[in-house]
């Protein structure tokens, strides 16, 4: 998105805010009833989007007082959740956690599953920002369990992604491997080809790190085959590179060269500059000169005809 488009969105939001504030003045004359609070809540949300944080917070607190007087627990929980988002955006992570927890407690009592998940994710993200990784891990594990119990695959993938980040930082590779397997299973359930391919590549990278080169090769090949079926060119090039490198480490140099040539042919077709450079270096590490690389490419093109 260009700066002009972003600016236009802000202008549109500001226009909408001005109209709603005019309407609020009209509603105030009638009385600060539920219609007034609904409009005020909408105004606070626009202010939050425009990063007018102090105005948004002030208006949310007025809404909160109204919902407390009305004993409207869902209304209170909604405001607490929005305040959690507001403080997260302000980088006030402790305040964000406090508000998300207040919202979560109400949603848990009222058995609002989706809202509980949203709050837990908010708490977990704030804990990551505070570098409290063990606490964040516990939260995302709880959240993952709720997502699994309720077959919420998309939020489960979010939680798994955060858990992978935490365990990678802690260099707990066995746990990361299991998380990638769960991620692969989740992507398969929603038939997300890119997610499946990336999961296979990640599993391959971890297997290679552990010295299980044959298993790494198997995962890289699986991912590459799906990339070919789905016609994701960048992922095909990446996969062929992974397969070639693994074959190289297994001492299967001719097969490695063939994979690199396939990848280079494709990289040339789409003019993927970084990939072309890397593949040239890999082929040179196999002892091929530029002239030989060109010759291999020519022969590969002829075989493809």
């Amino acid at each position: 998105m260009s700066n002009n488009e972003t600016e236009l969105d802000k202008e549109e939001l500001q226009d909408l805010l001005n109209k709603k504030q005019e309407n609020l003045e009209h509603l105030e004359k009638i009385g600060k009833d539920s219609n007034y609070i609904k409009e005020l809540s909408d105004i606070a949300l626009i202010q939050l989007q425009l990063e007018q944080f102090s105005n948004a917070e002030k208006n949310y607190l007025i809404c909160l007082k109204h919902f407390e007087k009305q004993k409207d627990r869902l209304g209170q929980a909604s405001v607490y959740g929005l305040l959690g988002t507001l403080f997260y955006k302000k980088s006030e992570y402790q305040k964000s956690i406090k508000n998300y927890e207040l919202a979560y407690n109400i949603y848990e009592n009222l058995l609002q599953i989706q809202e509980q998940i949203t709050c837990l994710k908010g708490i977990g993200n704030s804990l990551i920002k505070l570098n409290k990784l063990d606490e964040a891990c516990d939260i995302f594990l709880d959240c993952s369990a709720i997502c699994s119990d309720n077959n919420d695959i998309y939020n489960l993938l979010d939680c798994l992604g955060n858990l992978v980040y935490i365990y990678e930082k802690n260099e707990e590779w066995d746990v990361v491997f299991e998380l990638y397997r769960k991620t692969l299973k989740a992507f398969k359930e929603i038939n997300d080809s890119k997610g499946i391919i990336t999961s296979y590549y990640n599993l391959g990278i971890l297997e290679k790190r552990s010295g299980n080169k044959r298993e790494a090769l198997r995962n890289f090949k699986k991912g590459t085959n799906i990339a070919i079926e789905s016609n994701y060119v960048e992922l095909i090039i990446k996969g062929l590179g992974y397969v070639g490198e693994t074959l190289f480490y297994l001492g299967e140099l001719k097969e490695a060269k063939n994979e690199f040539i396939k990848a280079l042919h494709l990289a040339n077709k789409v003019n993927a500059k970084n990939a072309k450079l890397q593949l040239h270096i890999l082929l040179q590490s196999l002892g091929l000169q530029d002239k030989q690389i060109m010759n291999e490419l020519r022969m590969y093109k002829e075989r493809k005809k």
Side-chain angles (χ1 to χ4, degrees), residues 20-37 39 66:
K20 284 196 165 285
Q21 282 173 329
E22 280 175 28
N23 196 36
L24 189 74
E25 285 173 25
H26 170 70
L27 288 169
E28 194 170 5
K29 289 169 189 168
I30 300 165
K32 293 186 180 180
D33 56 7
S34 57
N35 291 327
Y36 176 90
I37 293 299
E39 197 71 4
H66 169 83

Side-chain angles (χ1 to χ4, degrees), residues 151-162:
N151 202 30
D152 185 339
I153 304 299
Y154 292 99
N155 277 315
L156 175 63
L157 282 165
D158 266 358
C159 291
L160 291 173
N162 281 300

Side-chain angles (χ1 to χ4, degrees), residues 5 13-14 24 54 74 84 109 127 160 193 212 222 240 256 265 282 284 295 300:
E5 283 175 307
L13 281 170
Q14 190 60 55
L24 189 74
S54 57
L74 269 179
N109 287 333
L127 287 166
L160 291 173
S193 298
N212 304 325
K222 277 190 173 183
L240 290 169
H265 168 73
L282 287 165
Q284 284 165 351
N295 197 38
Y300 175 71

Side-chain angles (χ1 to χ4, degrees), residues 84-85 87-88 92-100 122 126:
T85 304
F87 287 120
Y88 183 84
E92 294 182 25
Y93 302 117
Q94 290 290 7
K95 283 187 179 178
S96 178
I97 291 166
K98 182 186 167 189
N99 280 281
Y100 275 130
S126 287

Side-chain angles (χ1 to χ4, degrees), residues 45-286:
L45 184 58
I46 297 167
Q47 288 167 332
L48 177 55
Q49 289 170 302
L50 288 168
E51 298 187 352
Q52 297 174 7
F53 296 128
S54 57
N55 288 335
E57 184 184 350
K58 185 177 74 179
N59 287 328
Y60 276 135
L61 291 173
I62 294 167
C63 295
L64 183 61
K65 274 186 186 172
H66 169 83
F67 291 132
E68 283 170 347
K69 275 184 194 171
Q70 298 292 318
K71 296 187 169 35
D72 180 345
R73 302 199 70 212
L74 269 179
Q76 291 170 48
S78 174
V79 174
Y80 283 133
L82 287 160
L83 285 168
T85 304
L86 183 148
F87 287 120
Y88 183 84
K89 287 191 169 197
K90 282 179 77 178
S91 303
E92 294 182 25
Y93 302 117
Q94 290 290 7
K95 283 187 179 178
S96 178
I97 291 166
K98 182 186 167 189
N99 280 281
Y100 275 130
E101 283 176 343
L102 288 165
Y104 177 80
N105 291 336
I106 297 171
Y107 287 133
E108 190 179 27
N109 287 333
L110 298 175
L111 305 176
Q112 301 286 312
I113 302 296
Q114 282 303 311
E115 289 77 5
Q116 286 177 52
I117 291 167
T118 302
C119 291
L120 287 174
K121 281 167 63 180
I123 293 165
N125 286 327
S126 287
L127 287 166
I128 285 176
K129 290 288 188 182
L130 291 167
N131 206 33
K132 295 184 176 180
L133 298 185
D134 289 346
E135 289 176 48
C137 184
D138 290 343
I139 292 291
F140 282 118
L141 285 169
D142 288 346
C143 194
S144 295
I146 296 171
C147 293
S148 293
D149 290 346
N150 292 277
N151 202 30
D152 185 339
I153 304 299
Y154 292 99
N155 277 315
L156 175 63
L157 282 165
D158 266 358
C159 291
L160 291 173
N162 281 300
L163 286 166
V164 165
Y165 170 79
I166 293 164
Y167 283 110
E168 277 182 342
K169 283 208 90 170
N170 292 335
E171 298 188 2
E172 294 180 49
W173 302 115
D174 289 351
V175 183
V176 173
F177 185 80
E178 287 308 313
L179 288 168
Y180 277 138
R181 283 176 61 174
K182 284 184 181 176
T183 304
L184 174 62
K185 187 183 171 197
F187 278 128
K188 282 181 175 178
E189 281 188 46
I190 58 172
N191 203 24
D192 183 326
S193 298
K194 275 192 178 176
I196 294 167
I197 296 159
T198 305
S199 297
Y200 274 126
Y201 290 169
N202 287 333
L203 286 166
I205 289 163
L206 288 180
E207 289 283 19
K208 200 167 116 184
R209 181 195 283 270
S210 303
N212 304 325
K213 294 185 183 69
R214 284 285 165 203
E215 271 304 300
L217 184 62
R218 191 178 68 84
N219 282 299
F220 288 142
K221 281 184 172 178
K222 277 190 173 183
T224 307
N225 288 336
I226 296 165
I228 291 165
E229 285 166 25
S230 309
N231 200 28
Y232 291 133
V233 177
E234 283 181 25
L235 289 172
I236 297 169
I237 295 167
K238 190 180 273 192
L240 290 169
Y242 286 144
V243 170
E245 281 185 60
T246 313
L247 286 165
F248 175 80
Y249 288 119
L250 285 164
E252 298 174 25
L253 303 186
K254 187 182 174 186
E255 290 80 0
K257 178 203 71 181
N258 291 340
E259 296 301 316
F260 291 146
I261 289 294
K262 275 188 224 172
L264 183 56
H265 168 73
L266 200 50
N268 283 335
K269 271 180 86 171
V270 298
N271 197 25
K273 289 179 184 175
N274 286 343
K276 286 197 304 192
L277 184 65
Q278 286 167 4
L279 289 160
H280 263 284
I281 292 165
L282 287 165
L283 284 160
Q284 284 165 351
S285 72
L286 287 170

